[in-house]
Amino acid sequence: MIEAIIFDFGDIFINLDKPATFEGLKKLGLSEWNDDLDYLNHQFEMGKISKDDFLSGIQKHCPNATTEEILKTWNAILLDFPLYRLEFLQMLTQKYRLFLLSNTDAIHIEKFQKKTGETFYTDFYRCFEHVYFSYEIGMRKPNVDIYEYVLNNHSLVAEKTLFVDDKQENTDAAKTIGLNVWNLQVGEEDVVELFEKMIIK
């Protein structure tokens, strides 16, 4: 019997346009997304470097772009957050312990909050017993330690906990420590179909 649900954020609740940022950076002069940028992104997502260091790191690959242009392009990934998903989440709070676990960075969260407004994002965060952003806790999925961290912090039993994420590598890792998982297929499934897709009581 499922007692708790851990949700990802991007493409689970807020819609994302993942190619938008890369396409935008290409227009700013980036030739390709490489290992250096991947490392830079992971460091920023784990809060290991500052916003300014992150933006200047990208600027080295787009020397003719301003930091303002890079910032705008970095946030191009963020689309809308449909109200019906928030309403579904609010309904779930009556029956389950809910947690948010997201690989994200300070820039994206600041933009999300500004875009949706204080009332909306407060109502959203209030649905969760705890909100975990990778840049605040210094860990990121799919490393197993991040799942164990959440489970241990709240005395959750893996076999009684469901983890919902759109990335296969993340759900595969969660499965190795006994978590129930739903690898949501973006564009084909919606989080509000939880009860149709997952047999949970």
Side-chain angles (χ1 to χ4, degrees):
M1 181 176 166
I2 298 299
E3 297 176 352
I5 309 174
I6 303 170
F7 289 103
D8 179 33
F9 183 30
D11 267 338
I12 301 297
F13 295 111
I14 189 169
N15 290 319
L16 302 180
D17 182 354
K18 290 175 180 172
T21 290
F22 178 62
E23 292 303 318
L25 289 174
K26 275 169 65 176
K27 289 175 184 174
L28 295 178
L30 179 70
S31 56
E32 64 173 356
W33 187 269
N34 55 37
D35 290 343
D36 287 345
L37 287 169
D38 219 31
Y39 178 76
L40 186 73
N41 182 36
H42 289 179
Q43 290 294 102
F44 190 41
E45 277 191 348
M46 291 192 292
K48 306 293 187 189
I49 58 173
S50 68
K51 172 181 171 179
D52 289 343
D53 286 344
F54 173 70
L55 292 173
S56 64
I58 290 186
Q59 197 172 31
K60 289 174 185 172
H61 297 266
C62 311
N64 296 321
T66 65
T67 52
E68 290 76 16
E69 287 173 325
I70 293 169
L71 186 61
K72 184 178 179 181
T73 302
W74 190 247
N75 280 328
I77 189 174
L78 301 176
L79 297 177
D80 62 312
F81 186 141
L83 178 61
Y84 71 85
R85 288 183 187 152
L86 175 59
E87 292 170 342
F88 176 72
L89 194 58
Q90 289 169 329
M91 179 271 293
L92 283 182
T93 63
Q94 299 166 31
K95 195 167 181 181
Y96 302 97
R97 298 176 67 188
L98 305 181
F99 301 87
L100 191 69
L101 179 63
S102 174
N103 286 352
T104 190
D105 59 60
I107 291 175
H108 282 157
I109 293 305
E110 183 182 349
K111 179 65 176 179
F112 157 66
Q113 294 180 351
K114 188 175 179 181
K115 191 171 184 176
T116 58
E118 187 175 356
T119 300
F120 189 95
Y121 76 72
T122 300
D123 286 348
F124 174 57
Y125 293 156
R126 198 175 281 148
C127 292
F128 302 101
E129 196 169 311
H130 202 99
V131 171
Y132 289 101
F133 292 138
S134 59
Y135 75 94
E136 293 179 332
I137 59 175
M139 294 179 274
R140 68 186 299 280
K141 300 173 285 185
N143 295 336
V144 172
D145 60 348
I146 197 170
Y147 307 112
E148 293 173 335
Y149 180 75
V150 176
L151 293 175
N152 293 337
N153 275 0
H154 303 280
S155 302
L156 300 177
V157 177
E159 291 74 19
K160 295 182 179 180
T161 304
L162 173 67
F163 174 59
V164 181
D165 197 293
D166 64 302
K167 288 189 176 174
Q168 181 91 44
E169 62 177 351
N170 294 343
T171 53
D172 283 352
K175 223 189 276 188
T176 66
I177 60 165
L179 282 160
N180 298 277
V181 301
W182 176 20
N183 176 221
L184 186 149
Q185 303 302 300
V186 180
E188 298 173 21
E189 301 175 318
D190 195 295
V191 70
V192 299
E193 299 169 347
L194 179 68
F195 294 103
E196 290 84 59
K197 300 293 180 180
M198 303 296 302
I199 303 171
I200 64 174
K201 304 294 182 186

